[in-house]
Amino acid sequence: MSATDLLLTTDRPGLINRGKVRDLFALPDDRLLIVATDRISAFDVVLPAGIPRKGEVLTRLSAYWFDRTAAVVPNHMIAVLDASNAAEYGIDDPALFGRSMVVRRAQPLPVECVVRGYLAGSGWADYRRGGTVSGIALPAGLQQCERLFEPIFTPSTKAAEGHDEPISYEQMEALVGAERAHVMRLRSLALYRYAAEVALERGIIIADTKFEFGMLDGEVTLIDECMTPDSSRFWPVDEYQVGQDQPSFDKQPLRDWLEACGWDFAPPAPVLPDEVVRSTSERYLEAYRRITGSPLPD
Ligand SMILES: Nc1ncnc2c1ncn2[C@@H]1O[C@H](COP(=O)(O)OP(=O)(O)OP(=O)(O)O)[C@@H](O)[C@H]1O
Ligand SMILES: [Mg+2]
């Protein structure tokens, strides 16, 4: 199997965690291997079909942001696994190249750091109920998906099962300590502001995103993934219209098809037609190309 073939499952020793999309393995020397497979979820269900090259897009997009922000926010990345460095990490499976990241293992801090630049999803639902998002009061009269005057930080718990619960900043301080909470908030906002500006110039609105941090050498370090379409809402700027739900840059063809096919959104999900798989793959490649300015390398 080569690096660009579809990969839905992994099989190697040292498995620590299997997420909906990524599999995490222990490596020697306190390192981890994070493998982004080509699995895709929609409406919270992992679909039976994979999306060619999606794993590579997730990993290389994270790497792009980690590279460009490392001087401002320390992160866990050591390298994207490829043919040139795999032997160094004792890995010989080409199916993992280009889609896996070797990282330093941190002690994860138990808070999801959500930043919202636009009023969408659970943020919009929260605002409609009481004019606040996670306890942050916003001006009256905002519309669905409206751009906020400035991005807001709305942390949530990291639930092992089911949905993460929003928490107040004070609750976050109680969980991780005031000093760390402060650093996590500042770093999250700085990362989001920078990336949202870069992406917007290139035709993609990053409406909101989620970061994770961990402790490494006593430092609050960015871990996990970074501003991928899986951890963020990406919207095409040329279709943006305030006051309504926005199409997803990456998943819209898929969602449209799943809604139209009569599926009841309970697992198992239906098998996707080739055309939907192909156009979804193309969307991921296009997101990568637009943001980085280069096609995804082979
Ligand atoms: N450098 C790191 N050190 C330690 N743990 C890390 C590091 N980077 C990421 N992690 C952890 O790896 C896990 C990745 O899990 P992943 O997001 O793939 O699945 P999940 O959170 O279990 O489920 P879901 O698919 O719903 O997100 C997270 O728990 C994250 O905290
Ligand atoms: Mg996760």
Side-chain angles (χ1 to χ4, degrees):
M1 211 170 137
S2 83
T4 55
D5 287 345
L6 195 71
L7 183 80
L8 291 180
T9 55
T10 54
D11 178 21
R12 57 171 282 114
L15 181 72
I16 294 175
N17 183 62
R18 238 184 249 291
K20 283 198 280 293
V21 170
R22 291 168 307 147
D23 297 343
L24 191 71
F25 298 89
L27 292 179
D29 304 323
D30 247 359
R31 290 168 174 178
L32 299 172
L33 185 71
I34 304 181
V35 182
T37 68
D38 296 317
R39 298 194 291 267
I40 188 166
S41 67
F43 305 109
D44 270 342
V45 177
V46 178
L47 306 182
I51 302 301
R53 310 213 65 193
K54 172 173 180 272
E56 292 169 84
V57 167
L58 295 190
T59 296
R60 291 200 188 273
L61 203 50
S62 278
Y64 177 84
W65 295 123
F66 283 144
D67 255 343
R68 272 154 191 78
T69 60
V72 182
V73 177
N75 67 63
H76 67 165
M77 181 169 72
I78 298 174
V80 173
L81 187 76
D82 63 23
S84 76
N85 62 19
E88 198 182 320
Y89 305 112
I91 298 166
D92 58 8
D93 182 356
L96 303 181
F97 298 175
R99 64 168 71 252
S100 310
M101 194 179 283
V102 180
V103 305
R104 299 177 66 202
R105 185 174 202 154
Q107 280 166 323
L109 292 160
V111 172
E112 308 250 0
C113 293
V114 178
V115 180
R116 302 171 187 276
Y118 293 74
L119 202 46
S122 63
W124 167 241
D126 204 4
Y127 175 79
R128 271 214 304 192
R129 276 192 302 267
T132 65
V133 179
S134 294
I136 299 170
L138 294 177
L142 294 178
Q143 298 180 63
Q144 184 176 15
C145 296
E146 187 158 350
R147 185 178 186 165
L148 298 172
F149 179 67
E150 60 175 353
I152 56 172
F153 180 70
T154 61
S156 65
T157 58
K158 264 193 198 182
E161 285 290 309
H163 284 286
D164 301 328
E165 290 292 329
I167 52 175
S168 67
Y169 185 72
E170 290 69 29
Q171 287 171 302
M172 175 178 173
E173 286 183 317
L175 280 171
V176 300
E179 178 67 31
R180 286 175 185 176
H182 180 66
V183 175
M184 289 161 82
R185 179 177 178 278
L186 283 182
R187 291 188 172 174
S188 297
L189 287 167
L191 288 165
Y192 173 77
R193 273 186 228 273
Y194 166 72
E197 196 177 305
V198 170
L200 189 60
E201 279 170 9
R202 298 167 187 183
I204 293 177
I205 293 171
I206 303 181
D208 50 33
T209 194
K210 182 213 78 182
F211 301 107
E212 292 187 37
F213 292 87
M215 295 309 296
L216 238 177
D217 299 338
E219 178 67 71
V220 175
T221 304
L222 181 63
I223 64 170
D224 208 53
E225 61 186 323
C226 189
M227 282 173 297
T228 69
D230 275 14
S231 67
S232 324
R233 280 194 176 80
F234 280 22
W235 297 336
V237 72
D238 52 1
E239 289 172 59
Y240 175 68
Q241 268 186 307
V242 72
Q244 60 188 51
D245 203 7
Q246 308 301 310
S248 157
F249 192 93
D250 40 296
K251 283 188 180 167
Q252 205 56 43
L254 182 67
R255 288 189 186 152
D256 290 346
W257 186 84
L258 286 169
E259 281 183 332
C261 80
W263 177 41
D264 61 3
F265 304 113
V271 175
L272 304 175
D274 289 348
E275 175 50 27
V276 175
V277 171
R278 199 200 53 74
S279 60
T280 305
S281 176
E282 189 40 55
R283 291 285 191 120
Y284 278 88
L285 291 166
E286 174 66 10
Y288 180 89
R289 195 159 49 224
R290 283 210 200 176
I291 287 177
T292 67
S294 312
L296 186 70
D298 281 333

